[in-house]
Amino acid sequence: MTDKLIIFDTTLRDGEQSPGASMTRDEKLRIARQLERLKVDVIEAGFAASSNGDFEAVQLIANTIKDATICSLSRANDKDIARAAEALKGANRARIHTFIATSALHMEKKLRMTPDQVFEQAKQAVRFARNLVEDIEFSPEDGYRSDPDFLCRVIEAVIKEGATTINVPDTVGYAIPELYGNFIKDLRERVPNSDKAIWSVHCHNDLGMAVANSLAGVKIGGARQVECTINGLGERAGNCSLEEVVMAVKTRRDYFGLDMGIDTRHILAASRMVSQTTGFVVQPNKAVVGANAFAHASGIHQDGVLKARDTYEIMRAEDVGWSANKIVLGKLSGRNAFKQRLQELGVQMESEAEINAAFTRFKELADRKSEIFDEDILALVSEENVAQHKEQFVFVSLSQHSETGERPQASIVFTVDGKEVKGTSEGNGPVDASLKAIEAHVKSGAEMVLYSVNAISGSTESQGEVTVRLQNSGRVVNGVGADPDIVVASAKAYLSALNKLQSKADRVAAQG
Ligand code: KIV
Ligand code: ZN
């Protein structure tokens, strides 16, 4: 056992499995770059066999990111594993993460397999994977609800076959910290070859205890890898949140006694990037990355912090990236300052022409808005991506009329495959009228399952950021649009969601 804690980020795999959080290949690469800046040890880039889009994303990340180990999830069968190995070929360090369910419930009802069949398949999968790459992680899915005797048998066998990491998922977020910690501890004590593998925790947040359970798995159970996601993104109530678990281990080093390689100063930028890409807004009182996490509203607290900061602050805001984001660009900022900010935000542009196009949009925005924040730049870059990739639907202009006592009307111009079209409609409000004007032309038949507006940087002068989640034929996608005019932002978000519904590159999250 080492005293280093390995941080395994699964934002791009388990996080992305959350309905509506699906990301394009380029969005995933941008987040992977930010995870590299954060210095996470392992990036689970996707589930290569689940779709061509996911295969390509894993491949692109494996070919590009060189500091972290790149991992692909894989079911416990040769075909999936071979596909994962293929996608990971370009990685400096590749890991295959193979899994099969071991709880009686999952084996009987989901897999319709006997425990002996699962045992054999787990062994065979690890043996096959070990011939392709050296670094193999095995997960008994629904491990926490599995029979410990059976689990010990499976884990001992897969370690013999060459598994180097054993991950014990609390797949449904059922665990309680003390019980989960002891569960891991007992397994490690009972499995004869347990010292030949690193033990890992993977907790879901259904009862709000994913971080607490993960920490108990580390402290009581002796696990030395934590699986987590930025902002706790993930299916249902999400996964263990990276920023919380990392800052707990760092802030309470006196208790945990563990080191990590994480450069925590990049946490906030990672959080914002994930929130902006997926449209999953971070609540203001969220630990570490919420807007209020370091705000002291009460007079007594403000007075205390001014006299001695540690009266009310246990972490330094700048240690998680807050101060770095105070540098605000404006219309006097030059191309170099803009380019440097893009680099700091982990945005890689492929050519000078692309930077120039983004810079022109930045100047246009700066004419309308005096302060340009990081969120504005990220929003602008994602719009630039939309334009660059010649999406099917591209916003051109919008006019709308609303007056008290009258039914609002909107008229919108957008391009469909480069050809300009115009739609008009009335609606309950200006946003409703604008989106109906788009639908009048597109007739997608998609159902809107979420509409949210967020002020990007806190004041009425700021850009409105709108997230629209659409559902059609079993696919759920998010579109995000930003503009100082929230009706325009809504139309952009709607068109962006429609583009994703059309795109083959956006995968349907595959389930194990
Ligand atoms: O929650 C889970 O069980 C998983 C496994 C595939 C590791 O995500
Ligand atoms: Zn999971």
Side-chain angles (χ1 to χ4, degrees):
M1 190 199 303
T2 97
D3 59 1
K4 179 178 176 202
L5 184 63
I6 296 168
I7 301 298
F8 175 115
D9 181 277
T10 183
T11 307
L12 302 176
R13 196 281 297 173
D14 217 349
E16 203 220 12
Q17 256 170 242
S18 179
S22 70
M23 302 171 213
T24 64
R25 206 185 53 162
D26 292 348
E27 287 168 341
K28 282 186 153 198
L29 180 62
R30 191 148 64 86
I31 291 172
R33 284 200 166 107
Q34 183 62 22
L35 294 173
E36 189 177 39
R37 297 160 79 82
L38 198 54
K39 295 195 171 37
V40 304
D41 300 285
V42 186
I43 297 175
E44 188 161 53
F47 185 168
S50 69
S51 72
N52 289 340
D54 233 30
F55 178 89
E56 284 168 19
V58 175
Q59 190 172 51
L60 182 65
I61 291 168
N63 290 344
T64 315
I65 303 295
K66 294 296 160 196
D67 291 347
T69 295
I70 307 301
C71 172
S72 171
L73 186 70
S74 159
R75 279 166 297 209
N77 65 60
D78 294 1
K79 211 166 145 222
D80 267 32
I81 292 169
R83 191 87 174 129
E86 175 73 20
L88 292 168
K89 255 190 190 149
N92 266 1
R93 284 188 301 279
R95 173 180 297 187
I96 292 179
H97 175 191
T98 187
F99 74 100
I100 188 163
T102 49
S103 66
L105 186 64
H106 278 227
M107 289 190 291
E108 190 192 323
K109 304 278 187 229
K110 184 179 88 169
L111 299 177
R112 297 186 198 286
M113 288 169 76
T114 65
D116 283 343
Q117 287 171 324
V118 167
F119 176 79
E120 287 306 325
Q121 191 164 326
K123 272 192 350 180
Q124 161 61 26
V126 172
R127 189 180 312 148
F128 183 74
R130 191 57 206 250
N131 285 329
L132 302 172
V133 301
E134 286 192 352
D135 187 347
I136 307 296
E137 174 168 331
F138 174 77
S139 287
E141 193 193 5
D142 205 18
Y144 181 65
R145 292 194 302 169
S146 303
D147 169 33
D149 292 343
F150 178 58
L151 213 46
C152 286
R153 204 178 136 218
V154 172
I155 292 173
E156 182 185 354
V158 296
I159 294 177
K160 268 194 196 137
E161 295 295 346
T164 42
T165 300
I166 296 297
N167 180 46
V168 184
D170 177 21
T171 304
V172 291
Y174 183 66
I176 304 288
E178 191 186 352
L179 301 182
Y180 183 69
N182 281 318
F183 189 74
I184 308 275
K185 180 170 180 274
D186 290 347
L187 290 177
R188 285 185 54 236
E189 283 170 2
R190 289 183 54 195
V191 171
N193 50 2
S194 66
D195 59 329
K196 303 273 184 308
I198 290 175
W199 287 68
S200 166
V201 289
H202 178 112
C203 298
H204 281 264
N205 202 32
D206 298 66
L207 292 172
M209 288 187 280
V211 172
N213 287 334
S214 302
L215 291 171
V218 169
K219 182 69 182 176
I220 306 174
R224 286 298 175 264
Q225 174 176 285
V226 174
E227 302 202 347
C228 44
T229 61
I230 302 289
N231 298 338
L233 189 70
E235 274 187 276
R236 307 183 309 275
N239 285 62
C240 169
S241 129
L242 179 145
E243 57 280 4
E244 291 178 21
V245 87
V246 163
M247 289 316 288
V249 172
K250 183 176 157 119
T251 308
R252 297 306 309 271
R253 199 183 178 289
D254 60 317
Y255 178 72
F256 290 103
L258 293 168
D259 293 319
M260 295 167 294
I262 299 294
D263 183 345
T264 59
R265 292 168 307 164
H266 296 288
I267 283 180
L268 187 64
S271 162
R272 289 181 167 171
M273 195 182 280
V274 168
S275 154
Q276 204 135 29
T277 307
T278 58
F280 280 56
V281 176
V282 173
Q283 75 198 52
N285 59 333
K286 166 91 168 64
V288 184
V289 292
N292 293 350
F294 292 90
H296 300 279
S298 97
I300 296 174
H301 287 202
Q302 282 175 356
D303 182 53
V305 168
L306 287 176
K307 285 180 178 144
R309 178 183 184 141
D310 53 2
T311 49
Y312 288 101
E313 274 186 14
I314 57 162
M315 296 172 268
R316 287 159 21 117
E318 53 269 42
D319 285 351
V320 293
W322 279 97
S323 55
N325 285 279
K326 297 245 158 63
I327 305 157
V328 175
L329 299 182
K331 70 174 175 189
L332 297 179
S333 308
R335 189 177 176 282
N336 276 348
F338 177 69
K339 195 173 161 185
Q340 188 183 331
R341 201 75 199 105
L342 287 179
Q343 274 163 10
E344 285 163 6
L345 288 168
V347 177
Q348 201 103 355
M349 295 239 155
E350 267 149 37
S351 65
E352 287 298 307
E354 240 183 283
I355 297 176
N356 288 343
F359 185 60
T360 305
R361 293 175 81 108
F362 163 77
K363 283 289 188 186
E364 282 164 13
L365 183 62
D367 274 339
R368 292 191 287 154
K369 187 173 182 293
S370 56
E371 292 182 319
I372 308 286
F373 295 91
D374 290 351
E375 292 85 347
D376 295 315
I377 296 177
L378 289 172
L380 180 146
V381 168
S382 31
E383 282 187 5
E384 194 52 40
N385 283 342
V386 170
Q388 293 284 331
H389 293 107
K390 300 192 175 51
E391 298 285 9
Q392 185 171 20
F393 306 110
V394 179
F395 175 85
V396 178
S397 65
L398 177 128
S399 74
Q400 50 86 15
H401 178 79
S402 63
E403 208 174 312
T404 314
E406 278 190 17
R407 199 159 159 74
Q409 292 193 328
S411 159
I412 181 162
V413 180
F414 57 104
T415 57
V416 182
D417 295 323
K419 200 166 150 256
E420 231 170 68
V421 296
K422 187 174 178 180
T424 40
S425 177
E426 1 176 279
N428 286 344
V431 171
D432 189 45
S434 305
L435 304 193
K436 282 193 171 127
I438 297 174
E439 262 310 307
H441 196 92
V442 177
K443 297 188 175 49
S444 73
E447 181 196 352
M448 191 183 298
V449 287
L450 177 121
Y451 171 82
S452 86
V453 189
N454 187 29
I456 282 190
S457 41
S459 75
T460 50
E461 207 231 7
S462 82
Q463 294 209 87
E465 184 179 74
V466 173
T467 304
V468 166
R469 189 170 300 155
L470 297 181
Q471 183 171 332
N472 203 3
S473 315
R475 292 195 74 191
V476 182
V477 296
N478 266 325
V480 181
D483 197 275
D485 178 336
I486 60 161
V487 185
V488 172
S490 304
K492 286 181 178 175
Y494 196 84
L495 290 170
S496 145
L498 287 178
N499 281 323
K500 289 191 181 181
L501 272 182
Q502 308 296 331
S503 162
K504 293 192 184 69
D506 289 304
R507 73 188 189 92
V508 183
Q511 308 292 316

